[in-house]
Amino acid sequence: MEKNELQQLHFEVQDGVPVVSSRDVAEHFGKQHKNILTMIYGENRNEKHISGLIDEIRSAGNPAHLYFIDSTYTDNLNRQKKQCLMTRDGF
């Protein structure tokens, strides 16, 4: 990824840490947001958990909050929806 592509993402600072939302990443790369969340958190299929990035980070003994921060946003129907804020290391 080129530097100009990264500059087009909307970064914000939360608790002194630059982060980008999973929604912005999905939009930037033309992906569905639900697929980005599945990649990060994994999913349950047929009563079995399919690992995501957070599972891999934790299994390596690293704290997931250094990479991903759980968050929510309000959609256009005024509903609270899940998103993830990604740190530089999570991105």
Side-chain angles (χ1 to χ4, degrees):
M1 177 179 312
E2 293 183 23
K3 187 176 181 179
N4 288 341
E5 289 179 332
L6 280 177
Q7 290 173 339
Q8 293 175 1
L9 286 170
H10 174 72
F11 285 89
E12 56 186 73
V13 177
Q14 180 167 333
D15 298 327
V17 177
V19 295
V20 64
S21 79
S22 52
R23 293 183 309 130
D24 286 340
V25 169
E27 181 179 330
H28 183 79
F29 291 105
K31 305 291 182 186
Q32 292 185 11
H33 185 236
K34 68 179 184 174
N35 293 339
I36 298 295
L37 291 178
T38 297
M39 182 180 66
I40 294 168
Y41 292 105
E43 66 179 330
N44 293 317
R45 247 192 276 165
N46 300 325
E47 299 182 21
K48 182 179 179 186
H49 182 71
I50 308 300
S51 295
L53 294 171
I54 285 181
D55 298 306
E56 293 176 21
I57 289 166
R58 288 182 178 145
S59 69
N62 297 311
H65 73 275
L66 296 178
Y67 302 85
F68 303 106
I69 302 165
D70 293 334
S71 181
T72 60
Y73 70 98
T74 304
D75 72 5
N76 59 355
L77 298 175
N78 209 31
R79 299 176 295 188
Q80 290 293 303
K81 302 291 239 169
K82 183 176 187 172
Q83 72 174 351
C84 179
L85 302 178
M86 300 180 196
T87 68
R88 181 191 69 191
D89 294 332
F91 187 79

